[in-house]
Amino acid sequence: MATTDIPEQLKKFEVPGRVTVLEGNGEMPKIEVRTDWGTAEIYLHGAHVTEFQKRGEPPLLFTSQFSRFEAGQGIRGGVPVIFPWFGAREGEAAHGFARVSDWELHETSAVPEGGVTLRFRLPETPESATWPAFTANYVVTVTDRLTLELIITNISAGQPFSFENCLHTYFHVGDVRTVSITGLKGAAYLDKVENFASKTEAADAIQISSEVDRVYLDTTAAVEILDSALKRKIRVEKRGSASTVVWNPWIAKAQQMPDFGNEEYQQMVCVESGNVSKNKIVLPPGKSAVLKVVLSSEKI
Ligand code: TA6
């Protein structure tokens, strides 16, 4: 689909100098955002933010050079929108159907301080029809930081809606072996590398020298990634989230993922914000749950 083939119903969301809709990888519609501070890219597939970069800084997000851009496949990197379940599920794709669904773009606007706000909505799908009736809206605000809000509303007549959600962010780092992650000391976690063993984080600063796959529970704290190679501090602030997941596949897992380069584990770390496992959400009819994450960075 060349730029000229972008459907009219998408072109109408363009904002001159700020928002452009064009053909991305895999001939998938992609939205390019330009602000006073830098750029971002979002695919309608999964409402997936694949890039965010401030002028004068390295990209904030990591997206694999080997990622697929295909129907039914998750994009490997950026910010996967995980809903309505996290992790594996019998007979289903891991991490829910939201990240492999084509979301609808409903609104784009240039915000006064020089940024851009975009709102996406998850249309009804055969999979979503098997769950209590809900709406899922996703608001992406691009300024000198990246603000993401996943808003789930239970619109069923009388059923509580039980679900997990997570913004599964892949951060770009210079060398994961020289990164420190702070903000989780004292938090209980499930160690997926050791068969979900229950542990408590003892380190002031987490360092990575092997596969790490930890689901921290009952923690609302902000997390910081200190990247000595890129001389940058990344800050992950969140609201409406009781779980934080830290993941790096390391060498063996990296080699097992066809959509991930064998050496790419060195340039990424996931710090994910959501409500998973015992922190899952049970939403009464008529109520909404907002998962909000603010991703920012500064040179150090
Ligand atoms: O969030 C960490 C995790 O659950 C890991 O266990 C690993 O499976 C990762 O997500 C990637 O999941 P994906 O389905 O994107 O391959």
Side-chain angles (χ1 to χ4, degrees):
M1 175 167 49
T3 307
T4 49
D5 294 352
I6 297 287
E8 268 322 299
Q9 79 266 20
L10 284 176
K11 294 298 276 183
K12 73 182 181 188
F13 290 109
E14 291 194 319
V15 178
R18 290 279 186 236
V19 179
T20 308
V21 182
L22 65 165
E23 177 184 308
N25 294 330
E27 299 182 350
M28 292 181 154
K30 175 175 77 168
I31 300 147
E32 279 190 353
V33 173
R34 192 166 299 286
T35 72
D36 291 356
W37 292 274
T39 56
E41 287 188 356
I42 307 117
Y43 280 79
L44 289 185
H45 182 66
H48 203 123
V49 181
T50 50
E51 279 188 29
F52 172 69
Q53 183 168 11
K54 288 195 296 186
R55 214 160 286 119
E57 263 197 43
L60 188 70
L61 305 178
F62 164 90
T63 294
S64 172
Q65 297 301 311
F66 300 86
S67 177
R68 299 186 186 105
F69 289 83
E70 293 164 24
Q73 294 290 338
I75 295 171
R76 174 72 64 194
V79 187
V81 178
I82 308 298
F83 170 79
W85 69 85
F86 179 90
R89 188 181 171 100
E90 190 62 39
E92 305 257 16
H95 286 338
F97 51 75
R99 72 163 176 172
V100 293
S101 299
D102 291 338
W103 291 59
E104 294 168 345
L105 178 58
H106 275 239
E107 187 184 341
T108 55
S109 56
V111 295
E113 62 269 29
V116 169
T117 289
L118 308 98
R119 184 169 64 81
F120 302 86
R121 185 165 189 156
L122 180 65
E124 271 217 25
T125 62
E127 297 90 349
S128 65
T130 64
W131 293 71
F134 67 87
T135 60
N137 284 278
Y138 187 48
V139 182
V140 177
T141 302
V142 186
T143 57
D144 62 332
R145 58 203 57 208
L146 183 61
T147 302
L148 307 170
E149 295 175 273
L150 179 62
I151 304 139
I152 307 296
T153 301
N154 180 349
I155 59 170
S156 72
Q159 280 181 290
F161 177 24
S162 174
F163 63 89
E164 295 171 299
N165 58 10
C166 189
L167 296 175
H168 187 304
T169 310
Y170 288 67
F171 291 99
H172 169 62
V173 296
D175 181 346
V176 75
R177 294 165 295 192
T178 64
V179 145
S180 298
I181 298 169
T182 61
L184 291 166
K185 181 173 184 178
Y189 69 92
L190 302 175
D191 188 344
K192 288 174 73 171
V193 173
E194 291 187 21
N195 199 23
F196 293 87
S198 294
K199 300 182 179 179
T200 300
E201 185 53 68
D204 289 314
I206 298 161
Q207 285 164 346
I208 294 175
S209 56
S210 62
E211 180 185 357
V212 169
D213 195 349
R214 302 177 187 173
V215 179
Y216 291 87
L217 298 168
D218 302 326
T219 172
T220 58
V223 169
E224 292 191 336
I225 303 169
L226 301 168
D227 181 342
S228 54
L230 293 181
K231 295 183 175 43
R232 168 164 77 175
K233 175 168 73 173
I234 295 172
R235 186 167 173 80
V236 182
E237 294 171 84
K238 61 176 192 170
R239 210 171 63 207
S241 162
S243 316
T244 293
V245 181
V246 177
W247 178 58
N248 181 279
W250 206 248
I251 299 167
K253 278 280 170 58
Q255 290 170 349
Q256 291 165 16
M257 293 190 286
D259 57 348
F260 190 84
N262 289 348
E263 307 302 321
E264 287 189 317
Y265 73 94
Q266 298 175 28
Q267 271 75 48
M268 55 72 67
V269 65
C270 283
V271 175
E272 310 159 29
S273 311
N275 298 279
V276 306
S277 185
K278 64 171 272 204
N279 292 144
K280 72 176 179 184
I281 290 175
V282 181
L283 197 58
K287 297 296 183 189
S288 294
V290 181
L291 167 58
K292 180 174 181 178
V293 168
V294 181
L295 309 179
S296 59
S297 63
E298 63 182 282
K299 293 177 179 169
I300 52 175

